[in-house]
Amino acid sequence: MPLFRILAKGFSLAIRAKKRSGAFVILFIVITGWLILQLAILDAYDTDRILDARGVILEPSHELNAASAYDSINEIYDAVKNEISGLYIVYYVEVYPGQLGLITVKSRGKGKPEHIPWVLDLVKPTRIVNGRAINGRGEGLINVNALINYSIPGGIQIIQSAKLGDYITLQQGNKKVDIRIVGMYNASIVSYSKIAKGTENLLYVSWEDFEYFVEDIWPSPADNAEKADYVFVRRIILIAGGDYFSGKALTNVESIRISLTQNPIAPFSVTLWGGVDQSIYVSDWFRTVVLLLGAIILGGIYSFLLIRYKKKEIATLRAIGWRGKDVLIFLLGELIFVTIVGFIVGLLGVSAFSTISNLPPISFNTIGITFIVILAAILFGYYYIWRGILRISPMEAFRRE
Amino acid sequence: MSSMSGRPVLIELDKVTKKYEQARGSVFALRNISLKILQGEFIIILGPSGSGKTTMLNLISGMDRPTEGDIIFDRQSILGLSEEKLAEMRRKKIGFVFQFFNLIDNMTALENVMVPLLPEDLSEREMIRKAEDKLDLVDMFDKRDRFPNQLSGGEQQRVAIARALVNDPDVIIADEPTAQLDPDNTRKVLDILKKLNRMNGVTVIIATNDEELVRLSRDVITKEVRLKDGQIQGLRESSQGRSWSEVELG
């Protein structure tokens, strides 16, 4: 209770010390607002556009089944294996003509599970407009407003909608797979139509469920889903290896692109989405990192000034019997007030601005990351203030000015 | 342990030496000081700048530790106390009055007086009651909502005295408490300290180089300690201004 009272006293002093705290509140509003905006810009990068910077997308020139593509994919892998950290194949199988298809992502050779959620725009978590990404077997994603239209003998049509929490069961005899819809994505984006190729509804599932459907449920099951002639390869994604910020990844992207453009492995060709300019993407990242560090350093600067300007006050408080932790909480009260007010006003400002102008929407991830940065600034300030308090002796209270 | 007058010893400095190591060698701030301070005494520590007055106050209040010797505060050696215990001792048993008042700028007079109570487990109402009582005692109740920059130097020092008193301490330690004040305010502040000593039995220790302050306090002073170069040059005792006697230094 006393510590809360001391914290509250710190808050009230921050409000009264308008000149000092006011300037820093404004700085925190600017830096958090800008950081939120910058994170929203990064979040809004279309995955394909990011892939243009992080890797290379290959698409077949015509409809190509997995059986025919198998050797070509191995050939591609061999050609670029030294420059990539992952090769991913987007597979498609039609479940009901024109109405429902299954898609999945599978790596070959190199591959990292953490790449998979964002190699497809459709399954990028922040692109999911409702629900969440899948966590494994038995879960799926479907397009918003999914309507599956079945025609059965006698000219009867059954129109079935699929919503969050619904199950879609794919069954043949006693073999079946139940997929629960856990997330929904926007079907109006370019990637969707590129992969769907006219199919109205796409159900994204884990590779394991996809494989089970193809190898066990399909009427004439294949031994290997990756070589099945009724499974289609819609896209190959190559993720460049190397550190992104040192420029190694960009060099590798360029090298892969040149290699596969000059010596194409038919029927795949490099698809340039013409989206993101690599230098803009890097500078967006750079700006974000600078702002992120800037917010933390600003917390440190404010703490430095608090210690500098309140040296006599700190010494007096210690002289009259406040413990180190009492003084710490007192000063932290000021720092927390300044940073949190800056964060809230910055967030509200950018939110209001983004609704009236053409700015990217602000996701919960963006808000969460910014809040963590603010906490890091407070933590940095906490460390600095504590060091300062320990250095100031209560004897300073007697010192002549 | 008690003195000849029957009052218990509150603070005892036993052969206290304080030296600081500097690049040019050791500098003695205090040398072999022994002094007993009884409960309810009014003590003036007199000496020019650099004589060791402030070092003595630092040591008595547990803000610093002696290089040699011991300091007993209320029958307990401060040498063995942790920083936390020393802070608690200062908060509960000592009230401080500083030359430059050391009030917190953005707090009102009432809030400044409440500062020593904030770490205590008291209700807000109880804290306000205690602080207002002390402000009343120093005749500053009517100005309790003013900020330090809205008060004169004398008024600020009276608020500082109220702050020093708010925890009902055994002793008030004042470092040049009137150095920044005009003669009128000097008298007012001194009258408050005398009243506290006489009426409430609070021990008062004042460090100063102002002979006028000694003259004005003559009627209450029980000990007059003259320091020079870190050593006691003279010690006079009296029974509250009567029958002064020089104490022979050992």
Side-chain angles (χ1 to χ4, degrees), chain A residues 143-332:
Chain A
N143 42 298
V144 173
N145 301 325
L147 280 178
I148 306 161
N149 190 339
Y150 303 97
S151 299
I152 59 170
I156 296 172
Q157 288 193 313
I158 301 171
I159 300 170
Q160 175 69 54
S161 65
K163 300 184 297 295
L164 215 59
D166 285 350
Y167 279 88
I168 292 178
T169 300
L170 306 170
Q171 186 167 0
Q172 168 86 287
N174 58 358
K175 290 185 175 174
K176 65 169 185 171
V177 58
D178 293 315
I179 304 294
R180 189 165 68 93
I181 308 297
V182 297
M184 306 186 94
Y185 45 72
N186 188 354
S188 61
I189 53 178
V190 180
S191 290
Y192 185 88
S193 54
K194 280 272 198 176
I195 292 169
K197 287 191 193 295
T199 302
E200 293 291 332
N201 305 287
L202 280 186
L203 179 62
Y204 177 81
V205 294
S206 67
W207 165 250
E208 291 79 9
D209 282 335
F210 186 92
E211 190 179 32
Y212 181 72
F213 176 76
V214 170
E215 292 178 11
D216 292 87
I217 299 176
W218 191 262
S220 49
D223 292 338
N224 183 349
E226 290 184 87
K227 289 181 179 174
D229 55 10
Y230 48 88
V231 170
F232 297 92
V233 173
R234 290 277 154 97
R235 186 180 281 184
I236 295 170
I237 296 158
L238 304 167
I239 305 295
D243 175 36
Y244 202 67
F245 290 99
S246 70
K248 181 72 179 159
L250 290 179
T251 311
N252 280 334
V253 168
E254 211 48 46
S255 163
I256 296 164
R257 194 165 285 153
I258 291 167
S259 159
L260 293 176
T261 305
Q262 289 176 351
N263 304 298
I265 295 166
F268 292 99
S269 58
V270 172
T271 307
L272 286 174
W273 286 77
V276 66
D277 179 324
Q278 288 176 11
S279 62
I280 292 173
Y281 184 57
V282 171
S283 69
D284 270 335
W285 263 103
F286 181 74
R287 250 196 304 275
T288 306
V289 171
V290 167
L291 286 167
L292 200 138
L293 293 175
I296 295 170
I297 290 167
L298 195 59
I301 293 171
Y302 189 68
S303 306
F304 168 79
L305 292 178
L306 271 183
I307 292 288
R308 190 183 160 99
Y309 289 124
K310 287 178 172 268
K311 197 171 176 181
K312 191 93 175 179
E313 207 169 282
I314 292 166
T316 304
L317 291 172
R318 297 198 69 194
I320 65 175
W322 279 34
R323 295 159 298 181
K325 70 175 176 189
D326 298 326
V327 184
L328 173 70
I329 297 290
F330 182 59
L331 298 181
L332 268 185

Side-chain angles (χ1 to χ4, degrees), chain A residues 34-210:
Chain A
W34 196 358
L35 180 61
I36 289 167
L37 191 61
Q38 206 53 51
L39 285 166
I41 288 170
L42 282 184
D43 199 29
Y45 268 100
D46 183 274
T47 309
D48 287 327
R49 297 172 74 218
I50 294 173
L51 283 173
D52 253 7
R54 279 200 74 139
V56 173
I57 300 167
L58 301 170
E59 286 181 339
S61 56
H62 56 268
E63 187 72 315
L64 184 72
N65 66 32
S68 313
Y70 194 84
D71 290 338
S72 301
I73 294 170
N74 286 345
E75 219 177 306
I76 290 167
Y77 178 76
D78 288 339
V80 295
K81 64 185 173 192
N82 295 328
E83 283 95 34
I84 62 168
S85 66
L87 181 153
Y88 305 90
I89 307 145
V90 179
Y91 287 113
Y92 168 86
V93 64
E94 191 168 68
V95 178
Y96 193 83
Q99 287 299 309
L100 181 65
L102 282 191
I103 54 162
T104 192
V105 175
K106 171 78 168 66
S107 67
R108 187 173 305 174
K110 289 178 183 175
K112 293 175 182 171
E114 65 266 25
H115 285 156
I116 291 184
W118 59 271
V119 289
L120 262 181
D121 204 324
L122 302 171
V123 290
K124 185 173 175 240
T126 51
R127 287 287 172 179
I128 293 170
V129 291
N130 201 358
R132 58 170 174 81
I134 69 166
N135 284 331
R137 294 199 71 164
E139 294 186 342
L141 304 170
I142 202 161
N143 42 298
V144 173
N145 301 325
L147 280 178
I148 306 161
N149 190 339
Y150 303 97
S151 299
I152 59 170
I156 296 172
Q157 288 193 313
I158 301 171
I159 300 170
Q160 175 69 54
S161 65
K163 300 184 297 295
L164 215 59
D166 285 350
Y167 279 88
I168 292 178
T169 300
L170 306 170
Q171 186 167 0
Q172 168 86 287
N174 58 358
K175 290 185 175 174
K176 65 169 185 171
V177 58
D178 293 315
I179 304 294
R180 189 165 68 93
I181 308 297
V182 297
M184 306 186 94
Y185 45 72
N186 188 354
S188 61
I189 53 178
V190 180
S191 290
Y192 185 88
S193 54
K194 280 272 198 176
I195 292 169
K197 287 191 193 295
T199 302
E200 293 291 332
N201 305 287
L202 280 186
L203 179 62
Y204 177 81
V205 294
S206 67
W207 165 250
E208 291 79 9
D209 282 335
F210 186 92

Side-chain angles (χ1 to χ4, degrees), chain A residues 26-36 290-291 294-295 298 374:
Chain A
I26 291 167
L27 284 173
F28 270 107
I29 290 171
V30 171
I31 207 160
T32 49
W34 196 358
L35 180 61
I36 289 167
V290 167
L291 286 167
L298 195 59
I374 290 299

